[in-house]
Amino acid sequence: MVEASRADARRNHERLLIAAHEVFGKEGSESSLREIARRAGVGIGTLYRHFPTRESLLEALIRDSVEQLRDRADQLARTVPPERALITWLQDFVQRTNSYGGMPAAIVAALHNRRSDLYASCEAMRVAAGELLARAQQVGAVRPDVTATELFALASGVALVADQMPYGKALVDRLLTLMMSGLAR
Amino acid sequence: MVEASRADARRNHERLLIAAHEVFGKEGSESSLREIARRAGVGIGTLYRHFPTRESLLEALIRDSVEQLRDRADQLARTVPPERALITWLQDFVQRTNSYGGMPAAIVAALHNRRSDLYASCEAMRVAAGELLARAQQVGAVRPDVTATELFALASGVALVADQMPYGKALVDRLLTLMMSGLAR
DNA sequence: ACCTGAACACCGTTCAAGT
DNA sequence: ACCTGAACACCGTTCAAGT
């Protein structure tokens, strides 16, 4: 009985994640939670039991992406020159964070609220970016006075605009390149 | 009678704008329209009669800012070297568009929707930015391959992050400077 | 002409009642 | 333990009824 109950709970958990992935993917991260519960075939109370906040649901969905971004940073650090590693990671970052509409905004907000359910995941992302930045600075590829906060703010800015526009990958990469090399001449 | 009626309508229009300014200023551009109507001491139907969409209300509120930004561009073009004029205008742009929470997002969205009530105002802004860019490029202060769309996208990115964060003017200016001069070295 | 607010169809969130 | 859905307090938006 306890076993059966746990299996049910696990199945509901799974269904909610699937439904949330579908709905967030189509309507963005501000979608109706009721709609997600409906799509999962579950009472609204059950959604709240499994995910007490919208952010906790979002967190469960993006944890994979965050871990992949961290692995990607390590991989790039080992296989590619520091400057190239940084720009490539930034491209991946923007692409990944644009997998759900509203996700860049959720990440930026979370980074400024230590009590957010998304905080830990996002902080891990920022650390990964900071390490790639430090390496690029050590070899003199990036000016030493740029901080990780500044880099992340600018990259988040690109992710935020990209989220709101029908931008293709080409334009996003162009914006990141401009951000790195600068507009002035 | 007709006169009196028109005076009433004009007064309600005015009250709605004042209330919207207060509420948007405090709660951002996604605030409750009902709350605005309540604050204005007016029925919700009256709000919809004067401003059929949320964007039409926003448009009425930011038209002043847009016109001032256009004037500012002309003034800067006359009095300051092109490179300095561009960066100063960008600073003003970000500061202005951050006067209501959510305004940068509204502007970016409007620019990609020709039928938006905000489209004309925002397009005027983009034109102003484009002219300053062209001047800076003519004197060789900015690389010639940068388009107005790219410049505006990057500047909007900064405005979007600034909107979400407790950033001071100093950090915003720093981000714009980095955007112009680049991170790479 | 213009104003009003009830009415409708939705939300997010909680919590007593069920199994 | 877990699930359910009614209940509450809000929305945005429309529209018949009033002046």
Side-chain angles (χ1 to χ4, degrees):
Chain A
M1 270 309 151
V2 169
E3 283 286 317
S5 175
R6 281 181 183 168
D8 264 24
R10 218 162 32 222
R11 209 187 43 171
N12 284 339
H13 194 90
E14 197 62 31
R15 282 184 176 184
L16 282 165
L17 283 177
I18 291 168
H21 177 74
E22 290 169 3
V23 176
F24 283 159
K26 210 191 306 173
E27 319 263 2
S29 63
E30 297 299 313
S31 309
S32 160
L33 297 178
R34 282 181 120 106
E35 169 66 20
I36 291 171
R38 270 194 301 268
R39 174 98 68 145
V42 139
I44 181 65
T46 301
L47 182 147
Y48 275 90
R49 164 168 264 267
H50 285 270
F51 303 102
T53 68
R54 171 179 243 105
E55 289 203 319
S56 65
L57 182 51
L58 216 43
E59 198 277 337
L61 284 173
I62 74 170
R63 187 180 298 158
D64 256 20
S65 292
V66 171
E67 285 170 2
Q68 285 180 32
L69 278 170
R70 195 195 278 147
D71 294 349
R72 183 89 172 113
D74 292 345
Q75 182 207 348
L76 287 166
R78 285 196 317 273
T79 57
V80 181
E83 184 176 12
R84 185 91 202 120
L86 180 58
I87 182 79
T88 302
W89 189 86
L90 290 172
Q91 288 170 0
D92 289 355
F93 166 71
V94 174
Q95 223 177 326
R96 278 278 179 181
T97 57
N98 278 329
S99 53
Y100 301 129
M103 191 158 129
I107 289 170
V108 170
L111 279 169
H112 284 264
N113 175 17
R114 220 171 290 250
R115 298 188 331 258
S116 161
D117 291 314
L118 272 167
Y119 181 78
S121 307
C122 296
E123 182 56 24
M125 265 202 214
R126 183 156 59 179
V127 168
E131 283 166 7
L132 286 177
L133 171 66
R135 282 177 56 93
Q137 285 172 321
Q138 273 162 24
V139 301
V142 170
R143 33 195 277 193
D145 63 321
V146 178
T147 70
T149 298
E150 289 161 357
L151 172 73
F152 208 83
L154 284 171
S156 300
V158 173
L160 285 164
V161 274
D163 185 35
Q164 291 225 339
M165 299 180 160
Y167 277 2
K169 186 178 179 335
L171 186 41
V172 167
D173 289 354
R174 167 73 170 156
L175 292 180
L176 288 171
T177 301
L178 284 173
M179 173 188 121
M180 291 305 292
S181 67
L183 275 57
R185 176 88 329 231
Chain B
M1 273 307 151
V2 170
E3 283 286 316
S5 176
R6 281 182 183 166
D8 264 24
R10 217 164 30 222
R11 209 188 42 170
N12 284 339
H13 194 90
E14 196 62 30
R15 283 185 176 184
L16 281 165
L17 284 177
I18 291 168
H21 177 73
E22 290 170 2
V23 176
F24 283 159
K26 209 191 310 176
E27 319 264 0
S29 64
E30 297 299 314
S31 310
S32 159
L33 297 179
R34 282 180 121 105
E35 169 66 19
I36 290 171
R38 268 194 300 270
R39 174 99 67 147
V42 141
I44 182 64
T46 301
L47 183 149
Y48 275 91
R49 164 167 263 267
H50 286 269
F51 303 102
T53 67
R54 170 179 242 103
E55 288 203 320
S56 65
L57 182 51
L58 217 42
E59 198 278 335
L61 284 174
I62 73 170
R63 187 179 297 158
D64 255 19
S65 293
V66 171
E67 286 171 2
Q68 284 180 32
L69 278 169
R70 196 195 277 146
D71 294 348
R72 183 88 172 114
D74 293 344
Q75 181 207 349
L76 287 167
R78 285 197 316 273
T79 57
V80 181
E83 184 177 12
R84 185 88 203 125
L86 180 58
I87 182 78
T88 302
W89 189 86
L90 290 173
Q91 288 170 0
D92 290 354
F93 166 72
V94 174
Q95 223 177 326
R96 277 278 177 181
T97 57
N98 279 328
S99 54
Y100 301 130
M103 191 160 129
I107 289 170
V108 170
L111 279 169
H112 284 264
N113 176 17
R114 219 170 291 248
R115 298 188 331 259
S116 161
D117 291 313
L118 272 169
Y119 180 78
S121 305
C122 296
E123 182 56 25
M125 265 203 218
R126 182 156 59 182
V127 168
E131 282 166 8
L132 286 177
L133 172 65
R135 283 176 56 92
Q137 285 172 321
Q138 274 163 22
V139 301
V142 170
R143 27 194 281 195
D145 63 322
V146 178
T147 70
T149 299
E150 289 162 357
L151 171 74
F152 209 82
L154 284 171
S156 300
V158 174
L160 285 164
V161 274
D163 185 35
Q164 293 225 339
M165 300 179 160
Y167 276 3
K169 186 179 179 332
L171 186 40
V172 167
D173 289 354
R174 166 74 171 158
L175 292 179
L176 288 172
T177 301
L178 284 172
M179 173 189 123
M180 291 304 293
S181 67
L183 275 56
R185 173 92 332 222

